Amino acid sequence: LSNAQVGRVVVACLDPNPVASGGAFELREAGIRVDIGVLHDQAEEVNRVFLTAHRTGRSFVCLKVATSLDGFMAPLKGPSGPITGAMARREGRRLRAEMGCVLVGRGTVVEDDPRLTARVKGVVNEPLRLIVDPFRRLSGQERVFQQPGRAVRAVCQELAQPGDWPVPAEDGQIRPTHLVRNALASGVTGILVEGGPRTVSAFLRDGTVDQIEWFVSPDRLGSGRRFDLSDWSGGPWRWKRPRLLGRDLWLRAVRS
Ligand SMILES: NC(=O)c1ccc[n+]([C@@H]2O[C@H](COP(=O)([O-])OP(=O)(O)OC[C@H]3O[C@@H](n4cnc5c(N)ncnc54)[C@H](OP(=O)(O)O)[C@@H]3O)[C@@H](O)[C@H]2O)c1
């Protein structure tokens, strides 16, 4: 830009990625007028996944949960089956594509045998599928490993095999913070954490969630495994505008 003798450069927000930062000040030194902060808040909103990842040194974490009206994510035993309707489920798959990576624990793979693909019109690259399987108990024959695109296991580092993501663990417990730091180092800026309850609880307890996408059915389950926000150890939240998707309510919250 300085070689091209550009008269004025307008910057919405500065790039926190050390590889790219500093350019605006170099241009100023070259005598070019640089206005920084124009439409700053809108730019922060549009780029929040990338900006959060590079500011915190870990992937941005979006938590997606579907619950019954009485707060359950799954029955006490066995697969939950669909809790919400088709529109909410389609939105959930779109979020997979938007984040570029989807994460579940081993329990969800065993109980639901999901594909975890986006299956959204126009999406060519399927999201990376990340499965927390600390003791490497899954056989590798499950559907999640047979779909187009990549599926990777996060495994205790001493049990990792080629192709796995080794993560430090204590008594088989992986700290989500370690996992999402490794993920950013591997080029993953955003992760959609889809559960189930044990995985969700680990991310909440660790304070490693930036956004919540919460789909609530109007139906009661009566009993089961809860989505329990009292596990949250981080700071306050701010609601975004809620929406109705068919019969389901779609609640959205971001860290304030
Ligand atoms: N409503 C929803 O939004 C939703 C979403 C997904 C799943 N579900 C339901 O949830 C149920 C499964 O529940 P779940 O709690 O067993 O599923 P899960 O959270 O997907 O899997 C739990 C297992 O994943 C591993 N794991 C997860 N986080 C870990 C961590 N931080 N450190 C170490 N290991 C970790 C552990 O494997 P090991 O046991 O090998 O140690 C753990 O037992 C199913 O009924 C499914 O349908 C509901």
Side-chain angles (χ1 to χ4, degrees), residues 64-67 73-75 78-81 83 104-109 111-112 132-135 137 172-176 194-200 202 225:
K64 190 222 115 186
V65 281
T67 71
M73 290 180 72
S80 55
I83 288 181
V104 296
R106 182 186 67 89
T108 298
V109 173
E111 293 189 34
D112 297 358
V132 187
D133 182 13
F135 300 105
R137 288 179 170 134
Q173 281 307 301
I174 290 171
R175 286 262 326 259
E194 283 206 25
R198 275 183 279 185
T199 302
V200 168
R225 290 169 272 182

Side-chain angles (χ1 to χ4, degrees), residues 29-41:
E29 274 170 21
I32 294 172
R33 178 178 161 189
V34 182
D35 295 328
I36 299 173
V38 177
L39 296 176
H40 175 268
D41 293 351

